Amino acid sequence: MKISMAVAAAAFYLALGIILVNFTGQCDAALQVGFYNRKCNTRNVEGIVFSVVERRMNEKKGIGAALIRLHFHDCFVKGCDASILLDGDSSEKNATANQSVGGYEVIDEAKGLLEEACEGVVSCADIIAIAARDAVQLSGGGRYDVQTGRRDGIESLASNVDLPSPSSSVPQSADAFKKKGISLEDMVLLLGGHTIGFTHCSFIEDRLYNFGGSGEADPTMDPSLVEQLKVVCPKNSEADAAVSLDRNLASTFIFDNSFFNQTKHRRGVLPIDQALALDPSTTNMVDNLATSNDFPARFGQAMVKLGAVEVLTGQRGEIRKSCRAVVKNKPRSPFSLFG
Ligand code: HEM
């Protein structure tokens, strides 16, 4: 009799626990590798994203860099919740710092295919994270396991966009990353993302022509690079041309450690890139990364940490139907404490 009462009590508390856990949404709150395994009928969610990214990169190589940057710009504003994808006059994508961000149409295409394969299952935030990983791999940076299980945010405001500036010092940038739980070492690795892709002349004009109001070029830039860049970026030119961030031009689209090698030789393009090689807190790291071949693997680990910044999981957030619009603006209720 005593035993059956104990069993009944245990069953009661177990059931209560399950109800509470489901109610609060804390049960499956962690990101995990393979979150979508067997959740999308028989379809391979990551494989579907990969095939879209692969085809788009074959059409236009530069889209890979755009996808990696998209992930960073998403994660740094309200966490990796795809808030950058929401359309709207004053949404994040319209903030000045996001003007040259691209890759949206790649995410839209992957989302469309995933909705056909399994409606309402895969979040836009996860599609961005998977696409960024695929872009690294397809650029030669190796494959890392991407964690999934993020859900999509329902708010996107340009006024929330507060990204570090390319002319910030290393300590200022480190502070911005620290606020997101990312260490100095991981910041250096992540800035190695600038080993592919481009920047526009408007970001470097002062380094070429009027550094710190001096009327001269930045003395920390290799003079031969100054001359090279002045040709592509003439003074006061209307056309805001694009230049490779990695000055080993054979490696513009290749995910390798050449960016660190270039910055070490004073050939960093953005002020923050050059500062990494010169600041006492990061110069040794840059030296190591410039000469070792473990950068791509370490970059992957840092991307996993970036991808975990302030994520929504469990019952929080929602799964959008289209990555450009929220499903519903949930009314706040006394039960929304956790979501
Ligand atoms: C202090 C932090 C950072 C600053 C100030 C910064 C700034 C910039 C700027 C100014 C550009 C050029 C934009 C343009 O001219 O259109 C750029 C491009 C890029 N950034 Fe960053 N960035 C930072 C961190 C990161 C991180 C953490 C990643 C990746 C994990 C990243 C990946 C990229 C990529 C791949 C591009 C090239 C984009 C393209 O070609 O479309 N950046 N970044």
Side-chain angles (χ1 to χ4, degrees):
M1 181 66 176
K2 266 187 185 164
I3 292 174
S4 62
M5 276 179 71
V7 170
F12 172 76
Y13 283 115
L14 183 66
L16 187 67
I18 290 170
I19 290 165
L20 281 174
V21 149
N22 277 334
F23 177 70
T24 63
Q26 301 301 294
C27 147
D28 52 349
L31 294 180
Q32 54 185 273
V33 173
F35 176 82
Y36 293 109
N37 289 352
R38 291 178 295 282
K39 285 197 173 73
C40 183
N41 301 320
T42 54
R43 305 296 301 279
N44 175 354
V45 167
E46 293 187 26
I48 290 175
V49 178
F50 184 88
S51 59
V52 173
V53 175
E54 187 177 40
R55 191 168 39 72
R56 293 282 188 147
M57 282 178 68
N58 283 339
E59 284 162 18
K60 191 177 164 204
K61 272 188 192 170
I63 209 73
L67 289 167
I68 297 166
R69 185 170 179 231
L70 180 67
H71 190 37
F72 167 55
H73 283 227
D74 180 35
C75 293
F76 252 55
V77 182
K78 280 191 76 88
C80 314
D81 68 343
S83 50
I84 194 169
L85 303 182
L86 290 173
D87 282 343
D89 289 345
S90 56
S91 68
E92 285 175 29
K93 60 167 61 151
N94 289 311
T96 311
N98 285 332
Q99 285 311 300
S100 60
V101 171
Y104 300 113
E105 62 298 337
V106 182
I107 306 298
D108 287 339
E109 184 183 342
K111 176 66 171 174
L113 293 174
L114 288 166
E115 285 299 290
E116 278 169 27
C118 50
E119 205 181 321
V121 172
V122 184
S123 71
C124 300
D126 278 340
I127 299 174
I128 301 178
I130 298 166
R133 184 276 308 273
D134 295 343
V136 173
Q137 182 188 353
L138 289 161
S139 306
R143 187 176 172 88
Y144 55 89
D145 283 339
V146 72
Q147 292 188 324
T148 41
R150 294 168 195 79
R151 289 167 63 89
D152 299 326
I154 58 166
E155 181 185 275
S156 177
L157 295 171
S159 56
N160 284 337
V161 177
D162 181 21
L163 289 154
S165 147
S167 48
S168 312
S169 66
V170 170
Q172 283 167 338
S173 304
D175 200 48
F177 277 75
K178 197 175 165 192
K179 284 191 183 125
K180 302 291 172 191
I182 294 182
S183 69
L184 178 71
E185 185 180 348
D186 286 323
M187 179 188 87
V188 176
L189 289 164
L190 288 169
L191 270 162
H194 291 171
T195 194
I196 59 172
F198 294 87
T199 186
H200 290 87
C201 295
S202 47
F203 283 104
I204 54 168
E205 205 171 307
D206 60 333
R207 286 198 82 195
L208 302 181
Y209 297 104
N210 190 20
F211 183 69
S214 64
E216 304 289 330
D218 182 346
T220 68
M221 188 185 274
D222 170 2
S224 70
L225 178 60
V226 172
E227 292 317 310
Q228 230 180 31
L229 293 176
K230 278 181 170 175
V231 176
V232 194
C233 303
K235 198 171 183 176
N236 301 325
S237 159
E238 290 285 296
D240 197 9
V243 300
S244 278
L245 285 163
D246 178 354
R247 296 314 299 174
N248 171 3
L249 297 183
S251 174
T252 295
F253 298 105
I254 300 176
F255 209 96
D256 55 12
N257 65 344
S258 148
F259 162 82
F260 292 106
N261 231 314
Q262 293 292 314
T263 54
K264 196 178 147 175
H265 293 98
R266 299 184 175 251
R267 295 172 63 80
V269 178
L270 295 173
I272 183 62
D273 295 347
Q274 190 53 64
L276 288 180
L278 300 174
D279 192 275
S281 68
T282 46
T283 186
N284 286 345
M285 263 184 263
V286 169
D287 279 353
N288 286 339
L289 288 163
T291 49
S292 62
N293 53 13
D294 61 356
F295 165 62
R298 292 175 67 194
F299 179 81
Q301 289 162 9
M303 283 291 269
V304 172
K305 293 181 198 165
L306 175 68
V309 171
E310 296 162 20
V311 290
L312 300 170
T313 54
Q315 304 297 308
R316 302 168 76 209
E318 62 178 21
I319 304 295
R320 289 182 206 146
K321 289 184 195 306
S322 150
C323 289
R324 292 175 181 267
V326 295
V327 175
K328 54 185 171 195
N329 282 305
K330 287 177 189 157
R332 302 299 290 174
S333 82
F335 305 112
S336 62
L337 272 177
F338 301 95

